[in-house]
Amino acid sequence: MPKTRTSAASARTIPPLQSPRTDKGARTRARLVKAAKEIFERDGFLDARIFDITKRAKVSYGAFYHYFESKEQIFREVAAAQEDRLTAPPEQPPASDEEPSMYERIRRANRRYLERYRSEAKIMGVIEQVSRYDPYVNAARMASQKHFAARSEQAIRRLQKEGQADPRLNPAIVSDALGAMVGRFAELWLTQGYRSYDFDEAVEQLTIIWAKALEPAPETRSELRRRDRKTTGYSA
């Protein structure tokens, strides 16, 4: 069965009033969504006005209601699109064909997430706020979290089979906990301005925490080595 990527767009349950039937209609709708994102970034959700969105998109006020029924609906579209950007695969494959180490895989994933979050920090701040009371926006946020958790859980299980991760760990719990740590850290740092950090250092520190959390304890390493020797018939 082919793998499918959990999409934040799947969290949307309210379709547009009118799907574009022409290329011109599709472009108009896309301009509205782009303009809405810019207005929400500038004014926040509560102060954003449909009039300002249509003015920025250079379309009539009536054209807005041809595609969307409310400010809430177009914001949900903006939020879902942003969550999809966060969970998209790398733009470019790794330069080397050599399999990266566990630490390097974690570091790349953390860097990619934080780079994308940082580049859209303004709209992410608004999304984080609205997700507290809008169930549709919250569903999009949760879809992103579950996407990362599912991918991390799969990786942890593989590392456990390879003897690189502590076999006592519950992959589902650990992936949820570490994913929540990175997500909350990004929000506090990049949208709320809780503290100022050097970007590269932040990536490395989060990666160290991730790697240390997965690392087998010394006694567990010894047990794994003994188990391997029994399996292979090797004795010291």
Side-chain angles (χ1 to χ4, degrees):
M1 180 179 296
K3 294 182 180 179
T4 58
R5 186 169 66 88
T6 302
S7 171
S10 65
R12 295 200 301 270
T13 58
I14 300 180
L17 292 179
Q18 181 71 31
S19 297
R21 296 181 180 179
T22 64
D23 289 343
K24 181 180 178 181
R27 289 194 298 270
T28 298
R29 191 174 189 279
R31 285 210 313 274
L32 280 165
V33 173
K34 181 177 183 293
K37 176 177 179 287
E38 294 169 356
I39 295 300
F40 288 131
E41 286 178 331
R42 188 189 74 184
D43 300 337
F45 177 76
L46 295 178
D47 293 333
R49 301 185 303 169
I50 292 175
F51 173 80
D52 292 328
I53 294 172
T54 58
K55 183 178 179 181
R56 178 67 64 93
K58 297 181 180 180
V59 302
S60 69
Y61 195 77
F64 178 91
Y65 289 101
H66 185 67
Y67 299 106
F68 301 98
E69 64 180 13
S70 64
K71 181 175 73 170
E72 287 76 11
Q73 188 184 31
I74 197 170
F75 183 81
R76 291 165 186 168
E77 178 101 358
V78 169
Q82 180 56 36
E83 297 298 342
D84 278 348
R85 292 188 193 100
L86 283 178
T87 58
E91 288 81 3
Q92 295 181 344
S96 175
D97 293 333
E98 184 177 339
E99 181 70 16
S101 66
M102 177 187 75
Y103 188 91
E104 181 59 20
R105 291 199 296 269
I106 296 170
R107 190 185 69 81
R108 288 179 184 178
N110 284 337
R111 175 174 289 278
R112 183 166 63 248
Y113 179 84
L114 291 175
E115 283 178 341
R116 291 175 175 176
Y117 199 110
R118 180 180 61 176
S119 69
E120 300 287 357
K122 286 185 179 180
I123 194 63
M124 286 306 303
V126 183
I127 291 170
E128 298 283 9
Q129 292 170 3
V130 177
S131 69
R132 305 290 195 267
Y133 57 83
D134 187 314
Y136 299 100
V137 176
N138 184 62
R141 280 263 70 201
M142 291 302 100
S144 290
Q145 193 71 27
K146 288 178 181 178
H147 166 80
F148 289 118
R151 193 166 62 187
S152 298
E153 181 179 347
Q154 185 180 42
I156 291 170
R157 292 187 188 280
R158 183 178 68 251
L159 291 168
Q160 286 177 322
K161 289 181 180 179
E162 296 171 354
Q164 297 185 61
D166 196 322
R168 299 172 301 174
L169 297 175
N170 181 313
I173 293 175
V174 172
S175 60
D176 282 344
L178 293 175
M181 173 192 72
V182 175
R184 180 59 173 159
F185 178 84
E187 180 188 358
L188 286 172
W189 170 34
L190 298 171
T191 68
Q192 296 188 21
Y194 174 70
R195 285 188 182 177
S196 177
Y197 300 109
D198 175 79
F199 187 85
D200 291 334
E201 184 180 10
V203 170
E204 291 303 325
Q205 289 295 306
L206 288 175
T207 302
I208 290 171
I209 294 171
W210 255 92
K212 288 293 184 182
L214 301 182
E215 189 177 85
E219 60 272 20
T220 306
R221 286 186 181 277
S222 298
E223 176 60 29
L224 288 172
R225 284 195 292 269
R226 286 195 295 271
R227 192 179 306 167
D228 288 342
R229 285 198 293 269
K230 288 181 180 179
T231 303
T232 60
Y234 169 81
S235 58

mmCIF file of all heavy atoms in Angstrom, residues 170-216:
data_model
loop_
_atom_site.group_PDB
_atom_site.id
_atom_site.type_symbol
_atom_site.label_atom_id
_atom_site.label_comp_id
_atom_site.label_asym_id
_atom_site.label_seq_id
_atom_site.Cartn_x
_atom_site.Cartn_y
_atom_site.Cartn_z
ATOM 1 N N ASN A 170 8.627 3.917 24.526
ATOM 2 C CA ASN A 170 7.386 3.767 23.767
ATOM 3 C C ASN A 170 7.441 4.777 22.621
ATOM 4 O O ASN A 170 7.360 5.983 22.856
ATOM 5 C CB ASN A 170 6.176 4.042 24.667
ATOM 6 C CG ASN A 170 4.851 3.867 23.937
ATOM 7 O OD1 ASN A 170 4.668 4.367 22.834
ATOM 8 N ND2 ASN A 170 3.917 3.179 24.568
ATOM 9 N N PRO A 171 7.604 4.325 21.381
ATOM 10 C CA PRO A 171 7.802 5.256 20.271
ATOM 11 C C PRO A 171 6.689 6.289 20.116
ATOM 12 O O PRO A 171 6.957 7.440 19.771
ATOM 13 C CB PRO A 171 7.872 4.329 19.048
ATOM 14 C CG PRO A 171 8.355 3.035 19.593
ATOM 15 C CD PRO A 171 7.706 2.919 20.934
ATOM 16 N N ALA A 172 5.442 5.892 20.372
ATOM 17 C CA ALA A 172 4.326 6.827 20.216
ATOM 18 C C ALA A 172 4.416 7.951 21.243
ATOM 19 O O ALA A 172 4.271 9.141 20.916
ATOM 20 C CB ALA A 172 2.994 6.088 20.340
ATOM 21 N N ILE A 173 4.658 7.587 22.490
ATOM 22 C CA ILE A 173 4.736 8.602 23.549
ATOM 23 C C ILE A 173 5.936 9.512 23.339
ATOM 24 O O ILE A 173 5.838 10.745 23.443
ATOM 25 C CB ILE A 173 4.806 7.929 24.939
ATOM 26 C CG1 ILE A 173 3.488 7.208 25.243
ATOM 27 C CG2 ILE A 173 5.114 8.965 26.026
ATOM 28 C CD1 ILE A 173 3.502 6.419 26.535
ATOM 29 N N VAL A 174 7.072 8.925 23.018
ATOM 30 C CA VAL A 174 8.296 9.709 22.850
ATOM 31 C C VAL A 174 8.176 10.655 21.656
ATOM 32 O O VAL A 174 8.570 11.833 21.743
ATOM 33 C CB VAL A 174 9.514 8.781 22.686
ATOM 34 C CG1 VAL A 174 10.754 9.576 22.327
ATOM 35 C CG2 VAL A 174 9.741 7.993 23.963
ATOM 36 N N SER A 175 7.627 10.189 20.560
ATOM 37 C CA SER A 175 7.502 11.053 19.387
ATOM 38 C C SER A 175 6.540 12.201 19.653
ATOM 39 O O SER A 175 6.785 13.338 19.230
ATOM 40 C CB SER A 175 7.041 10.247 18.171
ATOM 41 O OG SER A 175 5.781 9.645 18.404
ATOM 42 N N ASP A 176 5.457 11.941 20.380
ATOM 43 C CA ASP A 176 4.525 13.021 20.733
ATOM 44 C C ASP A 176 5.200 14.039 21.650
ATOM 45 O O ASP A 176 5.056 15.253 21.466
ATOM 46 C CB ASP A 176 3.285 12.454 21.425
ATOM 47 C CG ASP A 176 2.295 11.843 20.452
ATOM 48 O OD1 ASP A 176 2.404 12.123 19.243
ATOM 49 O OD2 ASP A 176 1.414 11.088 20.898
ATOM 50 N N ALA A 177 5.929 13.540 22.651
ATOM 51 C CA ALA A 177 6.552 14.433 23.629
ATOM 52 C C ALA A 177 7.638 15.295 22.988
ATOM 53 O O ALA A 177 7.683 16.520 23.194
ATOM 54 C CB ALA A 177 7.139 13.613 24.775
ATOM 55 N N LEU A 178 8.515 14.681 22.205
ATOM 56 C CA LEU A 178 9.598 15.440 21.587
ATOM 57 C C LEU A 178 9.078 16.377 20.504
ATOM 58 O O LEU A 178 9.576 17.499 20.341
ATOM 59 C CB LEU A 178 10.638 14.478 21.009
ATOM 60 C CG LEU A 178 11.415 13.651 22.041
ATOM 61 C CD1 LEU A 178 12.334 12.656 21.348
ATOM 62 C CD2 LEU A 178 12.223 14.559 22.972
ATOM 63 N N GLY A 179 8.059 15.933 19.758
ATOM 64 C CA GLY A 179 7.463 16.807 18.758
ATOM 65 C C GLY A 179 6.811 18.022 19.390
ATOM 66 O O GLY A 179 6.925 19.145 18.884
ATOM 67 N N ALA A 180 6.116 17.811 20.516
ATOM 68 C CA ALA A 180 5.495 18.921 21.220
ATOM 69 C C ALA A 180 6.552 19.887 21.747
ATOM 70 O O ALA A 180 6.346 21.113 21.753
ATOM 71 C CB ALA A 180 4.638 18.394 22.371
ATOM 72 N N MET A 181 7.684 19.346 22.184
ATOM 73 C CA MET A 181 8.774 20.196 22.672
ATOM 74 C C MET A 181 9.252 21.133 21.572
ATOM 75 O O MET A 181 9.372 22.353 21.782
ATOM 76 C CB MET A 181 9.945 19.331 23.146
ATOM 77 C CG MET A 181 11.194 20.121 23.513
ATOM 78 S SD MET A 181 12.659 19.084 23.737
ATOM 79 C CE MET A 181 13.019 18.603 22.032
ATOM 80 N N VAL A 182 9.504 20.605 20.376
ATOM 81 C CA VAL A 182 10.004 21.428 19.276
ATOM 82 C C VAL A 182 8.946 22.444 18.848
ATOM 83 O O VAL A 182 9.242 23.613 18.613
ATOM 84 C CB VAL A 182 10.435 20.550 18.090
ATOM 85 C CG1 VAL A 182 10.839 21.414 16.901
ATOM 86 C CG2 VAL A 182 11.598 19.643 18.497
ATOM 87 N N GLY A 183 7.687 21.996 18.750
ATOM 88 C CA GLY A 183 6.623 22.899 18.333
ATOM 89 C C GLY A 183 6.408 24.045 19.304
ATOM 90 O O GLY A 183 6.268 25.207 18.895
ATOM 91 N N ARG A 184 6.374 23.736 20.580
ATOM 92 C CA ARG A 184 6.173 24.782 21.594
ATOM 93 C C ARG A 184 7.380 25.703 21.670
ATOM 94 O O ARG A 184 7.239 26.923 21.840
ATOM 95 C CB ARG A 184 5.913 24.132 22.948
ATOM 96 C CG ARG A 184 5.698 25.101 24.094
ATOM 97 C CD ARG A 184 4.525 26.015 23.857
ATOM 98 N NE ARG A 184 4.237 26.824 25.044
ATOM 99 C CZ ARG A 184 3.559 27.958 25.038
ATOM 100 N NH1 ARG A 184 3.070 28.436 23.893
ATOM 101 N NH2 ARG A 184 3.336 28.616 26.154
ATOM 102 N N PHE A 185 8.570 25.132 21.539
ATOM 103 C CA PHE A 185 9.785 25.943 21.545
ATOM 104 C C PHE A 185 9.751 26.944 20.396
ATOM 105 O O PHE A 185 10.070 28.126 20.565
ATOM 106 C CB PHE A 185 11.011 25.043 21.427
ATOM 107 C CG PHE A 185 12.319 25.791 21.386
ATOM 108 C CD1 PHE A 185 12.948 26.186 22.555
ATOM 109 C CD2 PHE A 185 12.908 26.114 20.175
ATOM 110 C CE1 PHE A 185 14.149 26.888 22.516
ATOM 111 C CE2 PHE A 185 14.103 26.812 20.129
ATOM 112 C CZ PHE A 185 14.730 27.202 21.304
ATOM 113 N N ALA A 186 9.358 26.470 19.203
ATOM 114 C CA ALA A 186 9.281 27.355 18.039
ATOM 115 C C ALA A 186 8.293 28.484 18.281
ATOM 116 O O ALA A 186 8.552 29.645 17.933
ATOM 117 C CB ALA A 186 8.882 26.555 16.807
ATOM 118 N N GLU A 187 7.151 28.168 18.871
ATOM 119 C CA GLU A 187 6.144 29.199 19.137
ATOM 120 C C GLU A 187 6.662 30.245 20.129
ATOM 121 O O GLU A 187 6.562 31.459 19.885
ATOM 122 C CB GLU A 187 4.869 28.560 19.682
ATOM 123 C CG GLU A 187 3.780 29.585 19.975
ATOM 124 C CD GLU A 187 2.578 28.993 20.687
ATOM 125 O OE1 GLU A 187 2.555 27.763 20.925
ATOM 126 O OE2 GLU A 187 1.660 29.753 21.016
ATOM 127 N N LEU A 188 7.224 29.785 21.242
ATOM 128 C CA LEU A 188 7.730 30.724 22.256
ATOM 129 C C LEU A 188 8.837 31.613 21.695
ATOM 130 O O LEU A 188 8.864 32.821 21.938
ATOM 131 C CB LEU A 188 8.260 29.949 23.465
ATOM 132 C CG LEU A 188 7.219 29.318 24.384
ATOM 133 C CD1 LEU A 188 7.907 28.424 25.407
ATOM 134 C CD2 LEU A 188 6.395 30.391 25.093
ATOM 135 N N TRP A 189 9.729 31.004 20.940
ATOM 136 C CA TRP A 189 10.903 31.719 20.436
ATOM 137 C C TRP A 189 10.579 32.603 19.242
ATOM 138 O O TRP A 189 10.876 33.809 19.231
ATOM 139 C CB TRP A 189 11.971 30.680 20.076
ATOM 140 C CG TRP A 189 13.165 31.195 19.337
ATOM 141 C CD1 TRP A 189 13.760 32.426 19.466
ATOM 142 C CD2 TRP A 189 13.945 30.480 18.360
ATOM 143 N NE1 TRP A 189 14.850 32.523 18.627
ATOM 144 C CE2 TRP A 189 14.990 31.346 17.949
ATOM 145 C CE3 TRP A 189 13.864 29.210 17.824
ATOM 146 C CZ2 TRP A 189 15.937 30.956 17.007
ATOM 147 C CZ3 TRP A 189 14.813 28.819 16.896
ATOM 148 C CH2 TRP A 189 15.833 29.690 16.487
ATOM 149 N N LEU A 190 9.933 32.027 18.232
ATOM 150 C CA LEU A 190 9.816 32.704 16.941
ATOM 151 C C LEU A 190 8.558 33.552 16.776
ATOM 152 O O LEU A 190 8.531 34.443 15.927
ATOM 153 C CB LEU A 190 9.882 31.667 15.819
ATOM 154 C CG LEU A 190 11.209 30.890 15.745
ATOM 155 C CD1 LEU A 190 11.105 29.731 14.765
ATOM 156 C CD2 LEU A 190 12.359 31.814 15.368
ATOM 157 N N THR A 191 7.526 33.300 17.574
ATOM 158 C CA THR A 191 6.330 34.137 17.453
ATOM 159 C C THR A 191 6.093 35.006 18.680
ATOM 160 O O THR A 191 5.604 36.128 18.555
ATOM 161 C CB THR A 191 5.058 33.293 17.190
ATOM 162 O OG1 THR A 191 4.748 32.503 18.343
ATOM 163 C CG2 THR A 191 5.250 32.388 15.985
ATOM 164 N N GLN A 192 6.427 34.504 19.855
ATOM 165 C CA GLN A 192 6.176 35.281 21.063
ATOM 166 C C GLN A 192 7.397 36.067 21.535
ATOM 167 O O GLN A 192 7.276 36.916 22.419
ATOM 168 C CB GLN A 192 5.680 34.361 22.182
ATOM 169 C CG GLN A 192 4.332 33.706 21.874
ATOM 170 C CD GLN A 192 3.761 32.960 23.056
ATOM 171 O OE1 GLN A 192 4.121 33.207 24.202
ATOM 172 N NE2 GLN A 192 2.870 32.025 22.787
ATOM 173 N N GLY A 193 8.552 35.783 20.954
ATOM 174 C CA GLY A 193 9.752 36.518 21.334
ATOM 175 C C GLY A 193 10.159 36.308 22.781
ATOM 176 O O GLY A 193 10.684 37.215 23.429
ATOM 177 N N TYR A 194 9.909 35.102 23.289
ATOM 178 C CA TYR A 194 10.206 34.794 24.686
ATOM 179 C C TYR A 194 11.675 35.041 25.014
ATOM 180 O O TYR A 194 12.001 35.652 26.021
ATOM 181 C CB TYR A 194 9.834 33.336 24.956
ATOM 182 C CG TYR A 194 10.219 32.822 26.319
ATOM 183 C CD1 TYR A 194 9.574 33.263 27.467
ATOM 184 C CD2 TYR A 194 11.226 31.860 26.447
ATOM 185 C CE1 TYR A 194 9.920 32.773 28.719
ATOM 186 C CE2 TYR A 194 11.574 31.361 27.691
ATOM 187 C CZ TYR A 194 10.916 31.819 28.817
ATOM 188 O OH TYR A 194 11.275 31.336 30.052
ATOM 189 N N ARG A 195 12.559 34.589 24.140
ATOM 190 C CA ARG A 195 13.990 34.858 24.261
ATOM 191 C C ARG A 195 14.590 34.934 22.863
ATOM 192 O O ARG A 195 13.980 34.496 21.894
ATOM 193 C CB ARG A 195 14.713 33.765 25.052
ATOM 194 C CG ARG A 195 14.477 33.807 26.555
ATOM 195 C CD ARG A 195 15.365 32.817 27.265
ATOM 196 N NE ARG A 195 15.115 32.804 28.690
ATOM 197 C CZ ARG A 195 15.715 31.995 29.551
ATOM 198 N NH1 ARG A 195 16.613 31.120 29.103
ATOM 199 N NH2 ARG A 195 15.439 32.038 30.833
ATOM 200 N N SER A 196 15.803 35.435 22.794
ATOM 201 C CA SER A 196 16.503 35.510 21.518
ATOM 202 C C SER A 196 17.625 34.477 21.519
ATOM 203 O O SER A 196 18.425 34.419 22.462
ATOM 204 C CB SER A 196 17.094 36.917 21.324
ATOM 205 O OG SER A 196 17.824 36.987 20.116
ATOM 206 N N TYR A 197 17.660 33.646 20.474
ATOM 207 C CA TYR A 197 18.677 32.606 20.376
ATOM 208 C C TYR A 197 19.377 32.676 19.024
ATOM 209 O O TYR A 197 18.788 33.108 18.032
ATOM 210 C CB TYR A 197 18.047 31.208 20.503
ATOM 211 C CG TYR A 197 17.321 30.939 21.785
ATOM 212 C CD1 TYR A 197 15.929 30.846 21.806
ATOM 213 C CD2 TYR A 197 18.005 30.751 22.981
ATOM 214 C CE1 TYR A 197 15.242 30.590 22.983
ATOM 215 C CE2 TYR A 197 17.327 30.495 24.161
ATOM 216 C CZ TYR A 197 15.942 30.411 24.158
ATOM 217 O OH TYR A 197 15.277 30.163 25.318
ATOM 218 N N ASP A 198 20.598 32.232 18.996
ATOM 219 C CA ASP A 198 21.281 32.005 17.732
ATOM 220 C C ASP A 198 20.612 30.813 17.058
ATOM 221 O O ASP A 198 20.408 29.761 17.690
ATOM 222 C CB ASP A 198 22.766 31.714 17.967
ATOM 223 C CG ASP A 198 23.491 31.360 16.684
ATOM 224 O OD1 ASP A 198 23.817 32.288 15.926
ATOM 225 O OD2 ASP A 198 23.698 30.151 16.444
ATOM 226 N N PHE A 199 20.268 30.950 15.785
ATOM 227 C CA PHE A 199 19.486 29.916 15.115
ATOM 228 C C PHE A 199 20.220 28.575 15.077
ATOM 229 O O PHE A 199 19.659 27.535 15.428
ATOM 230 C CB PHE A 199 19.136 30.354 13.689
ATOM 231 C CG PHE A 199 18.188 29.415 13.000
ATOM 232 C CD1 PHE A 199 16.824 29.528 13.178
ATOM 233 C CD2 PHE A 199 18.670 28.403 12.183
ATOM 234 C CE1 PHE A 199 15.943 28.644 12.556
ATOM 235 C CE2 PHE A 199 17.809 27.514 11.551
ATOM 236 C CZ PHE A 199 16.433 27.642 11.748
ATOM 237 N N ASP A 200 21.481 28.577 14.655
ATOM 238 C CA ASP A 200 22.237 27.329 14.548
ATOM 239 C C ASP A 200 22.387 26.651 15.905
ATOM 240 O O ASP A 200 22.301 25.418 16.010
ATOM 241 C CB ASP A 200 23.609 27.586 13.935
ATOM 242 C CG ASP A 200 23.524 27.964 12.463
ATOM 243 O OD1 ASP A 200 22.546 27.571 11.805
ATOM 244 O OD2 ASP A 200 24.432 28.660 11.973
ATOM 245 N N GLU A 201 22.620 27.457 16.936
ATOM 246 C CA GLU A 201 22.756 26.883 18.272
ATOM 247 C C GLU A 201 21.446 26.262 18.741
ATOM 248 O O GLU A 201 21.442 25.187 19.357
ATOM 249 C CB GLU A 201 23.214 27.940 19.271
ATOM 250 C CG GLU A 201 23.449 27.356 20.661
ATOM 251 C CD GLU A 201 23.915 28.393 21.665
ATOM 252 O OE1 GLU A 201 23.878 29.599 21.344
ATOM 253 O OE2 GLU A 201 24.311 27.989 22.780
ATOM 254 N N ALA A 202 20.332 26.915 18.448
ATOM 255 C CA ALA A 202 19.030 26.373 18.843
ATOM 256 C C ALA A 202 18.791 25.027 18.166
ATOM 257 O O ALA A 202 18.313 24.071 18.795
ATOM 258 C CB ALA A 202 17.919 27.358 18.475
ATOM 259 N N VAL A 203 19.125 24.934 16.879
ATOM 260 C CA VAL A 203 18.966 23.670 16.160
ATOM 261 C C VAL A 203 19.801 22.583 16.814
ATOM 262 O O VAL A 203 19.318 21.460 17.054
ATOM 263 C CB VAL A 203 19.365 23.829 14.675
ATOM 264 C CG1 VAL A 203 19.424 22.467 13.986
ATOM 265 C CG2 VAL A 203 18.372 24.737 13.946
ATOM 266 N N GLU A 204 21.045 22.892 17.120
ATOM 267 C CA GLU A 204 21.932 21.884 17.699
ATOM 268 C C GLU A 204 21.483 21.462 19.090
ATOM 269 O O GLU A 204 21.533 20.276 19.438
ATOM 270 C CB GLU A 204 23.373 22.412 17.744
ATOM 271 C CG GLU A 204 24.020 22.573 16.382
ATOM 272 C CD GLU A 204 24.037 21.283 15.574
ATOM 273 O OE1 GLU A 204 24.199 20.199 16.177
ATOM 274 O OE2 GLU A 204 23.860 21.356 14.341
ATOM 275 N N GLN A 205 21.032 22.416 19.902
ATOM 276 C CA GLN A 205 20.589 22.078 21.254
ATOM 277 C C GLN A 205 19.360 21.171 21.223
ATOM 278 O O GLN A 205 19.277 20.188 21.973
ATOM 279 C CB GLN A 205 20.288 23.358 22.043
ATOM 280 C CG GLN A 205 21.518 24.164 22.413
ATOM 281 C CD GLN A 205 22.433 23.420 23.378
ATOM 282 O OE1 GLN A 205 22.001 22.961 24.434
ATOM 283 N NE2 GLN A 205 23.701 23.295 23.012
ATOM 284 N N LEU A 206 18.408 21.485 20.367
ATOM 285 C CA LEU A 206 17.224 20.626 20.250
ATOM 286 C C LEU A 206 17.608 19.241 19.746
ATOM 287 O O LEU A 206 17.037 18.227 20.188
ATOM 288 C CB LEU A 206 16.208 21.261 19.297
ATOM 289 C CG LEU A 206 15.461 22.493 19.814
ATOM 290 C CD1 LEU A 206 14.589 23.074 18.721
ATOM 291 C CD2 LEU A 206 14.622 22.167 21.035
ATOM 292 N N THR A 207 18.574 19.190 18.851
ATOM 293 C CA THR A 207 19.011 17.905 18.313
ATOM 294 C C THR A 207 19.701 17.071 19.382
ATOM 295 O O THR A 207 19.494 15.853 19.471
ATOM 296 C CB THR A 207 19.948 18.131 17.113
ATOM 297 O OG1 THR A 207 19.259 18.899 16.115
ATOM 298 C CG2 THR A 207 20.386 16.801 16.512
ATOM 299 N N ILE A 208 20.509 17.714 20.215
ATOM 300 C CA ILE A 208 21.164 16.998 21.323
ATOM 301 C C ILE A 208 20.110 16.408 22.256
ATOM 302 O O ILE A 208 20.216 15.247 22.684
ATOM 303 C CB ILE A 208 22.103 17.945 22.089
ATOM 304 C CG1 ILE A 208 23.316 18.302 21.224
ATOM 305 C CG2 ILE A 208 22.563 17.300 23.396
ATOM 306 C CD1 ILE A 208 24.184 19.408 21.805
ATOM 307 N N ILE A 209 19.096 17.212 22.585
ATOM 308 C CA ILE A 209 18.033 16.722 23.477
ATOM 309 C C ILE A 209 17.327 15.519 22.863
ATOM 310 O O ILE A 209 17.095 14.502 23.528
ATOM 311 C CB ILE A 209 17.020 17.851 23.765
ATOM 312 C CG1 ILE A 209 17.692 18.978 24.562
ATOM 313 C CG2 ILE A 209 15.816 17.305 24.542
ATOM 314 C CD1 ILE A 209 16.835 20.222 24.700
ATOM 315 N N TRP A 210 16.998 15.628 21.568
ATOM 316 C CA TRP A 210 16.353 14.517 20.861
ATOM 317 C C TRP A 210 17.229 13.259 20.935
ATOM 318 O O TRP A 210 16.758 12.173 21.282
ATOM 319 C CB TRP A 210 16.162 14.900 19.393
ATOM 320 C CG TRP A 210 14.770 15.255 18.994
ATOM 321 C CD1 TRP A 210 14.196 16.484 18.979
ATOM 322 C CD2 TRP A 210 13.764 14.361 18.505
ATOM 323 N NE1 TRP A 210 12.914 16.417 18.519
ATOM 324 C CE2 TRP A 210 12.613 15.124 18.205
ATOM 325 C CE3 TRP A 210 13.739 12.976 18.260
ATOM 326 C CZ2 TRP A 210 11.450 14.562 17.707
ATOM 327 C CZ3 TRP A 210 12.564 12.409 17.760
ATOM 328 C CH2 TRP A 210 11.441 13.199 17.495
ATOM 329 N N ALA A 211 18.503 13.410 20.553
ATOM 330 C CA ALA A 211 19.400 12.258 20.485
ATOM 331 C C ALA A 211 19.605 11.627 21.856
ATOM 332 O O ALA A 211 19.612 10.398 22.002
ATOM 333 C CB ALA A 211 20.737 12.682 19.880
ATOM 334 N N LYS A 212 19.773 12.464 22.888
ATOM 335 C CA LYS A 212 19.969 11.952 24.243
ATOM 336 C C LYS A 212 18.730 11.223 24.746
ATOM 337 O O LYS A 212 18.840 10.242 25.484
ATOM 338 C CB LYS A 212 20.320 13.100 25.190
ATOM 339 C CG LYS A 212 21.710 13.670 24.995
ATOM 340 C CD LYS A 212 22.779 12.660 25.377
ATOM 341 C CE LYS A 212 24.165 13.253 25.279
ATOM 342 N NZ LYS A 212 25.221 12.241 25.603
ATOM 343 N N ALA A 213 17.557 11.714 24.350
ATOM 344 C CA ALA A 213 16.319 11.062 24.782
ATOM 345 C C ALA A 213 16.194 9.655 24.205
ATOM 346 O O ALA A 213 15.614 8.765 24.836
ATOM 347 C CB ALA A 213 15.115 11.908 24.362
ATOM 348 N N LEU A 214 16.753 9.436 23.014
ATOM 349 C CA LEU A 214 16.655 8.130 22.366
ATOM 350 C C LEU A 214 17.798 7.191 22.738
ATOM 351 O O LEU A 214 17.665 5.979 22.605
ATOM 352 C CB LEU A 214 16.644 8.303 20.844
ATOM 353 C CG LEU A 214 15.527 9.154 20.246
ATOM 354 C CD1 LEU A 214 15.654 9.178 18.729
ATOM 355 C CD2 LEU A 214 14.156 8.638 20.651
ATOM 356 N N GLU A 215 18.885 7.746 23.183
ATOM 357 C CA GLU A 215 20.108 6.979 23.424
ATOM 358 C C GLU A 215 19.897 5.899 24.487
ATOM 359 O O GLU A 215 19.379 6.178 25.565
ATOM 360 C CB GLU A 215 21.213 7.930 23.869
ATOM 361 C CG GLU A 215 22.572 7.328 23.949
ATOM 362 C CD GLU A 215 23.600 8.384 24.330
ATOM 363 O OE1 GLU A 215 23.769 8.624 25.542
ATOM 364 O OE2 GLU A 215 24.201 8.979 23.428
ATOM 365 N N PRO A 216 20.287 4.649 24.204
ATOM 366 C CA PRO A 216 20.156 3.596 25.214
ATOM 367 C C PRO A 216 21.026 3.882 26.438
ATOM 368 O O PRO A 216 22.117 4.446 26.312
ATOM 369 C CB PRO A 216 20.648 2.341 24.483
ATOM 370 C CG PRO A 216 20.544 2.668 23.034
ATOM 371 C CD PRO A 216 20.809 4.141 22.928
#
